[in-house]
Amino acid sequence: MNFQQLRFVREAVRNNLNLTEVAAVLYTSQSGVSKQIKDLEDELGIELFVRSGKRLTALTRAGDGAVQIVGRILQETENLRRYASQYAGVDSGRLVIAATHTQARYTLPKVVEEFNRAYPKVTLELHQGTPRQIAAMISEGDADIGIASEALDGASGVQAHACFTWSHRVVVPAGHPLLARAPVTLADIAAFPLVTYNEQFTGRKCVDAAFSHAGLVPDLRLTAMDADVIKTYVRRGLGVGIVAEMALEDLDPGLEVLATDGDLFGTCTTMLGVRNGVFLPSFAYRFIEMFAPGVAVAPQ
């Protein structure tokens, strides 16, 4: 038994039993993958996969339990490497951050700049996705740190931490009639077509809950994944925009932020997640400190 065989088994499951994709991921041949998995099964004395000819079609009952053990072995192997690097004073490597567009575009740039100055030998990879995709990337080990406003809290296999709260703001193009009514209410806003985030993004639940609680049914004319797109269409007159306040750090020319009658949409929370049971390199914990100074993520 060797680690390469265990990696083949793990990647077979991750890639829906498609050995062609497994071979591409691990830079080897499909026949080599098949042989290594079969050699492991012969050594263990059990079949891990159901086969149809040369194709893997499902996990066996024994394989289902074995895959869980394989995952833990490989994770602890990586933990051991990272643990040793702490004491070896290693300040180089790779750090994968998964974040939504809003977090990547508006909250991370200053942190990335500071981190890059402190750790010039660390390669940062920034992956963008929906909150659910980010949670999956963490739990599957494809990202070291995840940052989003939804889905991380309670996600399977993810240790989530609240970082900071924020609110939504309402934006309109210059000359919009709502500018004469400020401060505006939810009812004022609901009288116009709205442009805001898709259901999975950037505190959309807060927006929906506010209108529902007020008994209002908004005209959602356009939804999008990121604030830049929302602001573009608001500026072109498609509707009133509802965006995260951090997206208004540099307000686009031709847009105005409306004064509102209180905090209309409540507050949302940006969460940071790491995978349960993973020992991160020391520079990863430093990145977390830079992003959210009040958050203490203990090594697992």
Side-chain angles (χ1 to χ4, degrees):
M1 183 188 307
N2 57 59
F3 287 118
Q4 188 73 333
Q5 292 170 332
L6 302 183
R7 291 189 186 97
F8 286 159
V9 169
R10 180 180 65 182
E11 291 304 323
V13 175
R14 284 184 173 182
N15 289 277
N16 299 314
L17 310 185
N18 187 323
L19 296 187
T20 301
E21 293 183 6
V22 174
V25 169
L26 296 176
Y27 303 102
T28 187
S29 66
Q30 182 176 337
S31 60
V33 174
S34 297
K35 183 179 185 305
Q36 289 290 330
I37 291 177
K38 189 64 172 64
D39 287 347
L40 177 61
E41 289 177 320
D42 291 344
E43 183 174 351
L44 294 175
I46 58 174
E47 289 189 345
L48 303 177
F49 298 96
V50 178
R51 290 172 170 81
S52 175
K54 295 183 178 180
R55 292 189 305 109
L56 306 184
T57 59
L59 280 167
T60 64
R61 183 175 179 181
D64 189 53
V67 164
Q68 305 303 315
I69 298 172
V70 166
R72 291 197 296 270
I73 292 171
L74 292 175
Q75 180 174 301
E76 288 303 317
T77 302
E78 182 60 27
N79 283 344
L80 181 59
R81 290 195 186 97
R82 289 173 167 176
Y83 178 81
S85 73
Q86 301 275 33
Y87 288 91
V90 174
D91 60 356
S92 62
R94 172 174 168 264
L95 183 61
V96 181
I97 310 296
T100 60
H101 171 88
T102 297
Q103 303 298 335
R105 168 70 175 81
Y106 296 105
T107 65
L108 281 177
K110 291 181 180 178
V111 178
V112 169
E113 289 176 3
E114 181 183 358
F115 181 86
N116 187 58
R117 287 193 295 269
Y119 296 93
K121 297 179 182 178
V122 174
T123 300
L124 274 175
E125 288 187 20
L126 185 58
H127 297 182
Q128 295 184 54
T130 68
R132 289 179 184 175
Q133 289 171 336
I134 291 166
M137 281 189 269
I138 300 168
S139 63
E140 293 173 8
D142 295 325
D144 299 306
I145 298 170
I147 301 170
S149 295
E150 297 91 357
L152 299 188
D153 191 15
S156 176
V158 176
Q159 178 193 155
H161 301 266
C163 298
F164 54 85
T165 59
W166 53 270
S167 301
H168 289 89
R169 294 290 179 261
V170 182
V171 295
V172 294
H176 194 278
L178 280 179
L179 289 167
R181 299 190 198 176
V184 298
T185 65
L186 274 176
D188 292 330
I189 298 168
F192 292 85
L194 301 182
V195 184
T196 191
Y197 299 101
N198 290 350
E199 290 184 352
Q200 294 187 56
F201 285 87
T202 319
R204 170 64 187 278
K205 290 180 180 178
C206 299
V207 174
D208 291 344
F211 284 116
S212 178
H213 183 73
L216 298 168
V217 180
D219 174 9
L220 295 175
R221 192 61 55 88
L222 174 71
T223 62
M225 292 189 296
D226 65 73
D228 293 336
V229 172
I230 292 170
K231 289 187 290 184
T232 294
Y233 283 96
V234 170
R235 189 168 55 248
R236 298 181 71 89
L238 195 67
V240 172
I242 302 173
V243 296
E245 61 184 353
M246 67 275 277
L248 301 176
E249 191 175 89
D250 298 313
L251 188 60
D252 300 31
L255 291 180
E256 301 282 348
V257 180
L258 287 178
T260 58
D261 185 15
D263 199 349
L264 299 182
F265 304 103
T267 59
C268 300
T269 303
T270 290
M271 307 293 295
L272 179 145
V274 297
R275 188 181 183 189
N276 283 331
V278 167
F279 193 98
L280 295 172
S282 57
F283 52 73
Y285 294 109
R286 183 67 186 117
F287 183 95
I288 293 170
E289 290 174 4
M290 291 176 178
F291 180 76
V295 171
V297 178
Q300 296 294 294

PDB file of all heavy atoms in Angstrom, residues 225-262:
ATOM      1  N   MET A 225     -24.670  38.501 -10.066  1.00  0.00           N
ATOM      2  CA  MET A 225     -23.776  37.920  -9.074  1.00  0.00           C
ATOM      3  C   MET A 225     -22.905  38.948  -8.370  1.00  0.00           C
ATOM      4  O   MET A 225     -22.407  38.685  -7.287  1.00  0.00           O
ATOM      5  CB  MET A 225     -22.882  36.864  -9.724  1.00  0.00           C
ATOM      6  CG  MET A 225     -23.622  35.635 -10.188  1.00  0.00           C
ATOM      7  SD  MET A 225     -22.515  34.296 -10.713  1.00  0.00           S
ATOM      8  CE  MET A 225     -21.703  35.060 -12.123  1.00  0.00           C
ATOM      9  N   ASP A 226     -22.694  40.102  -8.981  1.00  0.00           N
ATOM     10  CA  ASP A 226     -21.765  41.040  -8.357  1.00  0.00           C
ATOM     11  C   ASP A 226     -22.242  42.481  -8.488  1.00  0.00           C
ATOM     12  O   ASP A 226     -23.047  42.823  -9.353  1.00  0.00           O
ATOM     13  CB  ASP A 226     -20.352  40.878  -8.930  1.00  0.00           C
ATOM     14  CG  ASP A 226     -20.272  41.233 -10.397  1.00  0.00           C
ATOM     15  OD1 ASP A 226     -20.336  42.431 -10.714  1.00  0.00           O
ATOM     16  OD2 ASP A 226     -20.147  40.318 -11.230  1.00  0.00           O
ATOM     17  N   ALA A 227     -21.713  43.303  -7.598  1.00  0.00           N
ATOM     18  CA  ALA A 227     -22.142  44.689  -7.497  1.00  0.00           C
ATOM     19  C   ALA A 227     -21.777  45.510  -8.720  1.00  0.00           C
ATOM     20  O   ALA A 227     -22.500  46.450  -9.081  1.00  0.00           O
ATOM     21  CB  ALA A 227     -21.530  45.329  -6.240  1.00  0.00           C
ATOM     22  N   ASP A 228     -20.668  45.197  -9.370  1.00  0.00           N
ATOM     23  CA  ASP A 228     -20.265  45.970 -10.539  1.00  0.00           C
ATOM     24  C   ASP A 228     -21.316  45.887 -11.643  1.00  0.00           C
ATOM     25  O   ASP A 228     -21.635  46.879 -12.300  1.00  0.00           O
ATOM     26  CB  ASP A 228     -18.919  45.470 -11.072  1.00  0.00           C
ATOM     27  CG  ASP A 228     -17.783  45.750 -10.108  1.00  0.00           C
ATOM     28  OD1 ASP A 228     -17.922  46.681  -9.302  1.00  0.00           O
ATOM     29  OD2 ASP A 228     -16.771  45.033 -10.140  1.00  0.00           O
ATOM     30  N   VAL A 229     -21.861  44.688 -11.846  1.00  0.00           N
ATOM     31  CA  VAL A 229     -22.910  44.517 -12.853  1.00  0.00           C
ATOM     32  C   VAL A 229     -24.172  45.255 -12.429  1.00  0.00           C
ATOM     33  O   VAL A 229     -24.822  45.945 -13.228  1.00  0.00           O
ATOM     34  CB  VAL A 229     -23.205  43.019 -13.075  1.00  0.00           C
ATOM     35  CG1 VAL A 229     -24.431  42.838 -13.967  1.00  0.00           C
ATOM     36  CG2 VAL A 229     -21.998  42.328 -13.684  1.00  0.00           C
ATOM     37  N   ILE A 230     -24.534  45.133 -11.160  1.00  0.00           N
ATOM     38  CA  ILE A 230     -25.734  45.821 -10.654  1.00  0.00           C
ATOM     39  C   ILE A 230     -25.615  47.324 -10.877  1.00  0.00           C
ATOM     40  O   ILE A 230     -26.530  47.974 -11.398  1.00  0.00           O
ATOM     41  CB  ILE A 230     -25.935  45.503  -9.161  1.00  0.00           C
ATOM     42  CG1 ILE A 230     -26.296  44.025  -8.987  1.00  0.00           C
ATOM     43  CG2 ILE A 230     -27.035  46.386  -8.557  1.00  0.00           C
ATOM     44  CD1 ILE A 230     -26.281  43.553  -7.546  1.00  0.00           C
ATOM     45  N   LYS A 231     -24.483  47.901 -10.513  1.00  0.00           N
ATOM     46  CA  LYS A 231     -24.310  49.349 -10.647  1.00  0.00           C
ATOM     47  C   LYS A 231     -24.347  49.780 -12.113  1.00  0.00           C
ATOM     48  O   LYS A 231     -24.861  50.854 -12.438  1.00  0.00           O
ATOM     49  CB  LYS A 231     -23.001  49.774  -9.980  1.00  0.00           C
ATOM     50  CG  LYS A 231     -23.043  49.687  -8.461  1.00  0.00           C
ATOM     51  CD  LYS A 231     -21.798  50.268  -7.802  1.00  0.00           C
ATOM     52  CE  LYS A 231     -20.581  49.429  -8.035  1.00  0.00           C
ATOM     53  NZ  LYS A 231     -19.378  49.937  -7.309  1.00  0.00           N
ATOM     54  N   THR A 232     -23.817  48.938 -12.996  1.00  0.00           N
ATOM     55  CA  THR A 232     -23.839  49.267 -14.424  1.00  0.00           C
ATOM     56  C   THR A 232     -25.271  49.431 -14.923  1.00  0.00           C
ATOM     57  O   THR A 232     -25.604  50.402 -15.626  1.00  0.00           O
ATOM     58  CB  THR A 232     -23.125  48.175 -15.236  1.00  0.00           C
ATOM     59  OG1 THR A 232     -21.732  48.186 -14.896  1.00  0.00           O
ATOM     60  CG2 THR A 232     -23.281  48.412 -16.731  1.00  0.00           C
ATOM     61  N   TYR A 233     -26.132  48.494 -14.549  1.00  0.00           N
ATOM     62  CA  TYR A 233     -27.510  48.536 -15.048  1.00  0.00           C
ATOM     63  C   TYR A 233     -28.351  49.587 -14.340  1.00  0.00           C
ATOM     64  O   TYR A 233     -29.290  50.140 -14.930  1.00  0.00           O
ATOM     65  CB  TYR A 233     -28.142  47.151 -14.959  1.00  0.00           C
ATOM     66  CG  TYR A 233     -27.652  46.245 -16.055  1.00  0.00           C
ATOM     67  CD1 TYR A 233     -26.591  45.359 -15.832  1.00  0.00           C
ATOM     68  CD2 TYR A 233     -28.210  46.310 -17.324  1.00  0.00           C
ATOM     69  CE1 TYR A 233     -26.113  44.562 -16.855  1.00  0.00           C
ATOM     70  CE2 TYR A 233     -27.744  45.509 -18.351  1.00  0.00           C
ATOM     71  CZ  TYR A 233     -26.690  44.635 -18.115  1.00  0.00           C
ATOM     72  OH  TYR A 233     -26.214  43.853 -19.135  1.00  0.00           O
ATOM     73  N   VAL A 234     -28.025  49.884 -13.098  1.00  0.00           N
ATOM     74  CA  VAL A 234     -28.708  50.992 -12.417  1.00  0.00           C
ATOM     75  C   VAL A 234     -28.363  52.300 -13.116  1.00  0.00           C
ATOM     76  O   VAL A 234     -29.230  53.141 -13.381  1.00  0.00           O
ATOM     77  CB  VAL A 234     -28.307  51.051 -10.931  1.00  0.00           C
ATOM     78  CG1 VAL A 234     -28.824  52.349 -10.287  1.00  0.00           C
ATOM     79  CG2 VAL A 234     -28.857  49.836 -10.182  1.00  0.00           C
ATOM     80  N   ARG A 235     -27.097  52.473 -13.436  1.00  0.00           N
ATOM     81  CA  ARG A 235     -26.657  53.693 -14.115  1.00  0.00           C
ATOM     82  C   ARG A 235     -27.345  53.847 -15.474  1.00  0.00           C
ATOM     83  O   ARG A 235     -27.608  54.965 -15.927  1.00  0.00           O
ATOM     84  CB  ARG A 235     -25.135  53.669 -14.280  1.00  0.00           C
ATOM     85  CG  ARG A 235     -24.541  54.985 -14.774  1.00  0.00           C
ATOM     86  CD  ARG A 235     -23.029  55.013 -14.651  1.00  0.00           C
ATOM     87  NE  ARG A 235     -22.410  53.890 -15.317  1.00  0.00           N
ATOM     88  CZ  ARG A 235     -21.768  52.896 -14.688  1.00  0.00           C
ATOM     89  NH1 ARG A 235     -21.685  52.914 -13.368  1.00  0.00           N
ATOM     90  NH2 ARG A 235     -21.225  51.909 -15.361  1.00  0.00           N
ATOM     91  N   ARG A 236     -27.698  52.735 -16.105  1.00  0.00           N
ATOM     92  CA  ARG A 236     -28.366  52.773 -17.403  1.00  0.00           C
ATOM     93  C   ARG A 236     -29.883  52.892 -17.271  1.00  0.00           C
ATOM     94  O   ARG A 236     -30.612  52.847 -18.270  1.00  0.00           O
ATOM     95  CB  ARG A 236     -28.002  51.539 -18.225  1.00  0.00           C
ATOM     96  CG  ARG A 236     -26.506  51.454 -18.542  1.00  0.00           C
ATOM     97  CD  ARG A 236     -26.189  50.226 -19.379  1.00  0.00           C
ATOM     98  NE  ARG A 236     -26.697  50.392 -20.749  1.00  0.00           N
ATOM     99  CZ  ARG A 236     -26.001  50.951 -21.731  1.00  0.00           C
ATOM    100  NH1 ARG A 236     -24.780  51.434 -21.501  1.00  0.00           N
ATOM    101  NH2 ARG A 236     -26.523  51.056 -22.936  1.00  0.00           N
ATOM    102  N   GLY A 237     -30.364  53.030 -16.022  1.00  0.00           N
ATOM    103  CA  GLY A 237     -31.773  53.312 -15.806  1.00  0.00           C
ATOM    104  C   GLY A 237     -32.685  52.101 -15.734  1.00  0.00           C
ATOM    105  O   GLY A 237     -33.909  52.238 -15.809  1.00  0.00           O
ATOM    106  N   LEU A 238     -32.114  50.898 -15.533  1.00  0.00           N
ATOM    107  CA  LEU A 238     -32.965  49.711 -15.501  1.00  0.00           C
ATOM    108  C   LEU A 238     -33.780  49.609 -14.213  1.00  0.00           C
ATOM    109  O   LEU A 238     -34.853  49.027 -14.196  1.00  0.00           O
ATOM    110  CB  LEU A 238     -32.118  48.450 -15.676  1.00  0.00           C
ATOM    111  CG  LEU A 238     -32.902  47.184 -16.009  1.00  0.00           C
ATOM    112  CD1 LEU A 238     -33.521  47.296 -17.398  1.00  0.00           C
ATOM    113  CD2 LEU A 238     -31.998  45.959 -15.936  1.00  0.00           C
ATOM    114  N   GLY A 239     -33.271  50.182 -13.130  1.00  0.00           N
ATOM    115  CA  GLY A 239     -34.012  50.121 -11.882  1.00  0.00           C
ATOM    116  C   GLY A 239     -33.209  50.681 -10.728  1.00  0.00           C
ATOM    117  O   GLY A 239     -32.090  51.172 -10.898  1.00  0.00           O
ATOM    118  N   VAL A 240     -33.790  50.587  -9.535  1.00  0.00           N
ATOM    119  CA  VAL A 240     -33.136  51.009  -8.294  1.00  0.00           C
ATOM    120  C   VAL A 240     -32.245  49.864  -7.820  1.00  0.00           C
ATOM    121  O   VAL A 240     -32.668  48.702  -7.806  1.00  0.00           O
ATOM    122  CB  VAL A 240     -34.188  51.347  -7.221  1.00  0.00           C
ATOM    123  CG1 VAL A 240     -33.525  51.595  -5.876  1.00  0.00           C
ATOM    124  CG2 VAL A 240     -35.013  52.546  -7.656  1.00  0.00           C
ATOM    125  N   GLY A 241     -31.020  50.173  -7.447  1.00  0.00           N
ATOM    126  CA  GLY A 241     -30.076  49.133  -7.064  1.00  0.00           C
ATOM    127  C   GLY A 241     -29.972  48.939  -5.564  1.00  0.00           C
ATOM    128  O   GLY A 241     -30.038  49.907  -4.793  1.00  0.00           O
ATOM    129  N   ILE A 242     -29.820  47.698  -5.141  1.00  0.00           N
ATOM    130  CA  ILE A 242     -29.564  47.369  -3.743  1.00  0.00           C
ATOM    131  C   ILE A 242     -28.265  46.583  -3.712  1.00  0.00           C
ATOM    132  O   ILE A 242     -28.174  45.478  -4.238  1.00  0.00           O
ATOM    133  CB  ILE A 242     -30.715  46.525  -3.146  1.00  0.00           C
ATOM    134  CG1 ILE A 242     -32.039  47.274  -3.254  1.00  0.00           C
ATOM    135  CG2 ILE A 242     -30.412  46.191  -1.678  1.00  0.00           C
ATOM    136  CD1 ILE A 242     -33.247  46.436  -2.846  1.00  0.00           C
ATOM    137  N   VAL A 243     -27.230  47.195  -3.109  1.00  0.00           N
ATOM    138  CA  VAL A 243     -25.902  46.596  -3.127  1.00  0.00           C
ATOM    139  C   VAL A 243     -25.290  46.615  -1.728  1.00  0.00           C
ATOM    140  O   VAL A 243     -25.720  47.367  -0.854  1.00  0.00           O
ATOM    141  CB  VAL A 243     -24.959  47.333  -4.112  1.00  0.00           C
ATOM    142  CG1 VAL A 243     -25.451  47.216  -5.536  1.00  0.00           C
ATOM    143  CG2 VAL A 243     -24.796  48.789  -3.716  1.00  0.00           C
ATOM    144  N   ALA A 244     -24.283  45.796  -1.530  1.00  0.00           N
ATOM    145  CA  ALA A 244     -23.548  45.779  -0.267  1.00  0.00           C
ATOM    146  C   ALA A 244     -22.804  47.092  -0.081  1.00  0.00           C
ATOM    147  O   ALA A 244     -22.263  47.653  -1.038  1.00  0.00           O
ATOM    148  CB  ALA A 244     -22.570  44.609  -0.248  1.00  0.00           C
ATOM    149  N   GLU A 245     -22.760  47.564   1.165  1.00  0.00           N
ATOM    150  CA  GLU A 245     -22.157  48.873   1.416  1.00  0.00           C
ATOM    151  C   GLU A 245     -20.682  48.919   1.033  1.00  0.00           C
ATOM    152  O   GLU A 245     -20.182  49.962   0.612  1.00  0.00           O
ATOM    153  CB  GLU A 245     -22.318  49.249   2.885  1.00  0.00           C
ATOM    154  CG  GLU A 245     -21.657  48.310   3.879  1.00  0.00           C
ATOM    155  CD  GLU A 245     -21.948  48.696   5.316  1.00  0.00           C
ATOM    156  OE1 GLU A 245     -22.552  49.766   5.530  1.00  0.00           O
ATOM    157  OE2 GLU A 245     -21.576  47.927   6.227  1.00  0.00           O
ATOM    158  N   MET A 246     -19.962  47.776   1.141  1.00  0.00           N
ATOM    159  CA  MET A 246     -18.543  47.801   0.788  1.00  0.00           C
ATOM    160  C   MET A 246     -18.321  48.029  -0.700  1.00  0.00           C
ATOM    161  O   MET A 246     -17.257  48.444  -1.122  1.00  0.00           O
ATOM    162  CB  MET A 246     -17.841  46.513   1.244  1.00  0.00           C
ATOM    163  CG  MET A 246     -18.263  45.260   0.537  1.00  0.00           C
ATOM    164  SD  MET A 246     -19.727  44.516   1.250  1.00  0.00           S
ATOM    165  CE  MET A 246     -19.100  43.566   2.598  1.00  0.00           C
ATOM    166  N   ALA A 247     -19.363  47.790  -1.514  1.00  0.00           N
ATOM    167  CA  ALA A 247     -19.260  47.994  -2.962  1.00  0.00           C
ATOM    168  C   ALA A 247     -19.361  49.461  -3.340  1.00  0.00           C
ATOM    169  O   ALA A 247     -19.227  49.814  -4.508  1.00  0.00           O
ATOM    170  CB  ALA A 247     -20.344  47.200  -3.681  1.00  0.00           C
ATOM    171  N   LEU A 248     -19.599  50.329  -2.358  1.00  0.00           N
ATOM    172  CA  LEU A 248     -19.751  51.758  -2.636  1.00  0.00           C
ATOM    173  C   LEU A 248     -18.547  52.558  -2.164  1.00  0.00           C
ATOM    174  O   LEU A 248     -18.603  53.775  -2.053  1.00  0.00           O
ATOM    175  CB  LEU A 248     -21.027  52.278  -1.956  1.00  0.00           C
ATOM    176  CG  LEU A 248     -22.311  51.572  -2.408  1.00  0.00           C
ATOM    177  CD1 LEU A 248     -23.510  52.089  -1.618  1.00  0.00           C
ATOM    178  CD2 LEU A 248     -22.529  51.762  -3.898  1.00  0.00           C
ATOM    179  N   GLU A 249     -17.460  51.846  -1.895  1.00  0.00           N
ATOM    180  CA  GLU A 249     -16.237  52.518  -1.465  1.00  0.00           C
ATOM    181  C   GLU A 249     -15.784  53.532  -2.517  1.00  0.00           C
ATOM    182  O   GLU A 249     -15.377  54.641  -2.207  1.00  0.00           O
ATOM    183  CB  GLU A 249     -15.145  51.463  -1.236  1.00  0.00           C
ATOM    184  CG  GLU A 249     -13.913  51.982  -0.557  1.00  0.00           C
ATOM    185  CD  GLU A 249     -12.936  50.859  -0.247  1.00  0.00           C
ATOM    186  OE1 GLU A 249     -12.100  50.556  -1.117  1.00  0.00           O
ATOM    187  OE2 GLU A 249     -13.025  50.284   0.846  1.00  0.00           O
ATOM    188  N   ASP A 250     -15.871  53.127  -3.774  1.00  0.00           N
ATOM    189  CA  ASP A 250     -15.590  54.030  -4.893  1.00  0.00           C
ATOM    190  C   ASP A 250     -16.862  54.109  -5.740  1.00  0.00           C
ATOM    191  O   ASP A 250     -17.067  53.277  -6.628  1.00  0.00           O
ATOM    192  CB  ASP A 250     -14.418  53.519  -5.739  1.00  0.00           C
ATOM    193  CG  ASP A 250     -13.130  53.434  -4.937  1.00  0.00           C
ATOM    194  OD1 ASP A 250     -12.828  54.410  -4.235  1.00  0.00           O
ATOM    195  OD2 ASP A 250     -12.464  52.403  -5.012  1.00  0.00           O
ATOM    196  N   LEU A 251     -17.715  55.077  -5.443  1.00  0.00           N
ATOM    197  CA  LEU A 251     -19.001  55.174  -6.135  1.00  0.00           C
ATOM    198  C   LEU A 251     -18.794  55.624  -7.574  1.00  0.00           C
ATOM    199  O   LEU A 251     -18.092  56.597  -7.854  1.00  0.00           O
ATOM    200  CB  LEU A 251     -19.916  56.160  -5.411  1.00  0.00           C
ATOM    201  CG  LEU A 251     -21.362  56.208  -5.922  1.00  0.00           C
ATOM    202  CD1 LEU A 251     -22.025  54.835  -5.767  1.00  0.00           C
ATOM    203  CD2 LEU A 251     -22.159  57.259  -5.164  1.00  0.00           C
ATOM    204  N   ASP A 252     -19.429  54.895  -8.467  1.00  0.00           N
ATOM    205  CA  ASP A 252     -19.307  55.206  -9.885  1.00  0.00           C
ATOM    206  C   ASP A 252     -19.914  56.569 -10.202  1.00  0.00           C
ATOM    207  O   ASP A 252     -20.948  56.949  -9.625  1.00  0.00           O
ATOM    208  CB  ASP A 252     -20.034  54.148 -10.715  1.00  0.00           C
ATOM    209  CG  ASP A 252     -19.460  52.760 -10.501  1.00  0.00           C
ATOM    210  OD1 ASP A 252     -18.974  52.490  -9.401  1.00  0.00           O
ATOM    211  OD2 ASP A 252     -19.527  51.955 -11.436  1.00  0.00           O
ATOM    212  N   PRO A 253     -19.327  57.328 -11.122  1.00  0.00           N
ATOM    213  CA  PRO A 253     -19.939  58.586 -11.564  1.00  0.00           C
ATOM    214  C   PRO A 253     -21.334  58.314 -12.126  1.00  0.00           C
ATOM    215  O   PRO A 253     -21.567  57.302 -12.780  1.00  0.00           O
ATOM    216  CB  PRO A 253     -18.987  59.065 -12.669  1.00  0.00           C
ATOM    217  CG  PRO A 253     -17.693  58.386 -12.381  1.00  0.00           C
ATOM    218  CD  PRO A 253     -18.048  57.062 -11.800  1.00  0.00           C
ATOM    219  N   GLY A 254     -22.250  59.192 -11.830  1.00  0.00           N
ATOM    220  CA  GLY A 254     -23.600  59.031 -12.337  1.00  0.00           C
ATOM    221  C   GLY A 254     -24.526  58.273 -11.412  1.00  0.00           C
ATOM    222  O   GLY A 254     -25.703  58.083 -11.724  1.00  0.00           O
ATOM    223  N   LEU A 255     -24.031  57.839 -10.250  1.00  0.00           N
ATOM    224  CA  LEU A 255     -24.853  57.134  -9.264  1.00  0.00           C
ATOM    225  C   LEU A 255     -24.920  57.922  -7.962  1.00  0.00           C
ATOM    226  O   LEU A 255     -23.972  58.604  -7.590  1.00  0.00           O
ATOM    227  CB  LEU A 255     -24.292  55.738  -8.981  1.00  0.00           C
ATOM    228  CG  LEU A 255     -24.384  54.694 -10.086  1.00  0.00           C
ATOM    229  CD1 LEU A 255     -23.776  53.381  -9.600  1.00  0.00           C
ATOM    230  CD2 LEU A 255     -25.823  54.482 -10.522  1.00  0.00           C
ATOM    231  N   GLU A 256     -26.040  57.801  -7.278  1.00  0.00           N
ATOM    232  CA  GLU A 256     -26.231  58.456  -5.980  1.00  0.00           C
ATOM    233  C   GLU A 256     -26.703  57.410  -4.973  1.00  0.00           C
ATOM    234  O   GLU A 256     -27.488  56.509  -5.306  1.00  0.00           O
ATOM    235  CB  GLU A 256     -27.286  59.566  -6.081  1.00  0.00           C
ATOM    236  CG  GLU A 256     -26.969  60.663  -7.077  1.00  0.00           C
ATOM    237  CD  GLU A 256     -25.947  61.657  -6.554  1.00  0.00           C
ATOM    238  OE1 GLU A 256     -25.661  61.607  -5.336  1.00  0.00           O
ATOM    239  OE2 GLU A 256     -25.431  62.454  -7.360  1.00  0.00           O
ATOM    240  N   VAL A 257     -26.229  57.541  -3.732  1.00  0.00           N
ATOM    241  CA  VAL A 257     -26.678  56.671  -2.651  1.00  0.00           C
ATOM    242  C   VAL A 257     -27.839  57.357  -1.939  1.00  0.00           C
ATOM    243  O   VAL A 257     -27.718  58.507  -1.520  1.00  0.00           O
ATOM    244  CB  VAL A 257     -25.550  56.384  -1.647  1.00  0.00           C
ATOM    245  CG1 VAL A 257     -26.052  55.470  -0.524  1.00  0.00           C
ATOM    246  CG2 VAL A 257     -24.350  55.754  -2.343  1.00  0.00           C
ATOM    247  N   LEU A 258     -28.953  56.671  -1.816  1.00  0.00           N
ATOM    248  CA  LEU A 258     -30.128  57.261  -1.179  1.00  0.00           C
ATOM    249  C   LEU A 258     -30.017  57.232   0.340  1.00  0.00           C
ATOM    250  O   LEU A 258     -29.590  56.228   0.927  1.00  0.00           O
ATOM    251  CB  LEU A 258     -31.385  56.488  -1.578  1.00  0.00           C
ATOM    252  CG  LEU A 258     -31.920  56.666  -3.007  1.00  0.00           C
ATOM    253  CD1 LEU A 258     -33.131  55.770  -3.201  1.00  0.00           C
ATOM    254  CD2 LEU A 258     -32.282  58.117  -3.266  1.00  0.00           C
ATOM    255  N   ALA A 259     -30.437  58.312   0.955  1.00  0.00           N
ATOM    256  CA  ALA A 259     -30.630  58.304   2.400  1.00  0.00           C
ATOM    257  C   ALA A 259     -31.895  57.494   2.674  1.00  0.00           C
ATOM    258  O   ALA A 259     -32.888  57.626   1.961  1.00  0.00           O
ATOM    259  CB  ALA A 259     -30.790  59.727   2.923  1.00  0.00           C
ATOM    260  N   THR A 260     -31.846  56.620   3.686  1.00  0.00           N
ATOM    261  CA  THR A 260     -32.978  55.745   3.963  1.00  0.00           C
ATOM    262  C   THR A 260     -33.546  55.991   5.348  1.00  0.00           C
ATOM    263  O   THR A 260     -32.883  56.553   6.217  1.00  0.00           O
ATOM    264  CB  THR A 260     -32.563  54.266   3.838  1.00  0.00           C
ATOM    265  OG1 THR A 260     -31.482  54.008   4.752  1.00  0.00           O
ATOM    266  CG2 THR A 260     -32.135  53.934   2.429  1.00  0.00           C
ATOM    267  N   ASP A 261     -34.773  55.542   5.529  1.00  0.00           N
ATOM    268  CA  ASP A 261     -35.446  55.662   6.814  1.00  0.00           C
ATOM    269  C   ASP A 261     -34.986  54.526   7.716  1.00  0.00           C
ATOM    270  O   ASP A 261     -35.653  53.504   7.871  1.00  0.00           O
ATOM    271  CB  ASP A 261     -36.965  55.603   6.603  1.00  0.00           C
ATOM    272  CG  ASP A 261     -37.738  55.839   7.890  1.00  0.00           C
ATOM    273  OD1 ASP A 261     -37.132  56.318   8.870  1.00  0.00           O
ATOM    274  OD2 ASP A 261     -38.937  55.523   7.917  1.00  0.00           O
ATOM    275  N   GLY A 262     -33.822  54.675   8.302  1.00  0.00           N
ATOM    276  CA  GLY A 262     -33.232  53.627   9.117  1.00  0.00           C
ATOM    277  C   GLY A 262     -32.487  52.610   8.266  1.00  0.00           C
ATOM    278  O   GLY A 262     -32.314  52.780   7.061  1.00  0.00           O
TER     279      GLY A 262
END
